[in-house]
């Protein structure tokens, strides 16, 4: 998991999406992985994948609460707050 987390900042496109998926599957419950996925949810390109993987986790560490709060406060691309 630490190696995957180190690779994430420099990854782009398909490589980034593959790292997000790998982290989400092998890092379930790991606070560092949850934080990384929550941070990814702020980026439009990887938002859907990050949110989908976090939603599948049975529990989330408290450290992701601020990012999740921001996520629910911000509209998805192409929508407004009244759309959700």
């Amino acid at each position: 998991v630490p190696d995957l987390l180190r690779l994430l900042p420099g990854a782009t496109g398909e490589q980034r999406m593959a790292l997000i998926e790998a982290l989400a599957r092998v890092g379930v419950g790991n606070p560092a992985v949850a934080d990384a996925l929550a941070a990814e949810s702020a980026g439009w390109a990887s938002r859907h994948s990050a949110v989908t993987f976090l939603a599948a986790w049975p529990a989330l560490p408290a450290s992701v609460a601020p990012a999740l709060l921001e996520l629910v406060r911000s509209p998805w691309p192409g929508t407004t707050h009244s759309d959700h």
Side-chain angles (χ1 to χ4, degrees):
V1 170
D3 289 336
L4 294 174
L5 288 169
R6 277 192 291 277
L7 290 171
L8 190 59
T12 59
E14 289 182 25
Q15 182 186 35
R16 187 174 200 85
M17 297 307 288
L19 284 170
I20 291 169
E21 183 174 351
L23 281 166
R25 293 185 192 281
V26 300
V28 172
N30 182 318
V33 172
D35 291 343
L37 293 177
E40 286 297 316
S41 71
W44 296 121
S46 52
R47 187 177 202 176
H48 183 267
S49 293
V51 169
T52 299
F53 290 125
L54 284 173
W57 284 19
L60 296 171
S63 62
V64 300
L68 294 178
L69 182 58
E70 183 58 34
L71 177 66
V72 298
R73 287 183 173 166
S74 63
W76 285 79
T79 66
T80 63
H81 259 322
S82 61
D83 291 340
H84 351 185

